[in-house]
């Protein structure tokens, strides 16, 4: 991650990172050019696509709700 100083536009150096939650952290920075010290907040915004783990959980949930005959029918339909 590259953070630019808002005072002079040069690259800042990350000196410390404090995690508040899994999705949010404060990033302490200092500019090597003008010596401006500041805190940058970074956080998770949204997913663009679901993870493989999430997809597997959805499939397991759907499969567990099917009867044995529905599962056999599904296996035949997908050609396994």
């Amino acid at each position: 991650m590259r953070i630019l100083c808002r005072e002079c536009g040069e690259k800042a150096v990350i000196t410390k990172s404090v995690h508040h939650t899994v999705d949010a952290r404060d990033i302490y920075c200092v500019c090597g050019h003008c010596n401006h010290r500041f805190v940058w907040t970074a956080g998770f915004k949204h997913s663009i696509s679901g993870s493989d783990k999430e997809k597997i959980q959805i499939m397991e949930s759907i499969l567990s709700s099917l009867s044995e005959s529905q599962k056999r029918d599904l296996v035949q339909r997908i050609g396994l």
Side-chain angles (χ1 to χ4, degrees), residues 7-71:
E7 296 296 319
C8 71
E10 296 293 322
K11 287 192 295 186
V13 175
I14 297 171
T15 59
K16 181 170 79 169
S17 178
V18 177
H19 296 261
H20 294 289
T21 67
V22 170
D23 295 334
R25 68 179 65 187
D26 283 342
I27 301 169
Y28 289 76
C29 307
V30 61
C31 177
H33 182 73
C34 73
N35 207 35
H36 178 222
R37 294 179 181 274
F38 57 97
V39 179
W40 189 267
T41 301
F44 176 80
K45 186 173 179 184
H46 63 275
S47 296
I48 297 171
S49 67
S51 69
D52 290 343
K53 179 181 176 183
E54 181 183 29
K55 292 172 189 172
I56 289 170
Q57 288 173 338
I58 291 168
M59 288 189 297
E60 287 174 342
S61 174
I62 292 169
L63 290 173
S64 70
S65 70
L66 297 177
S67 68
E68 289 302 317
S69 64
Q70 290 172 317
K71 289 177 187 176

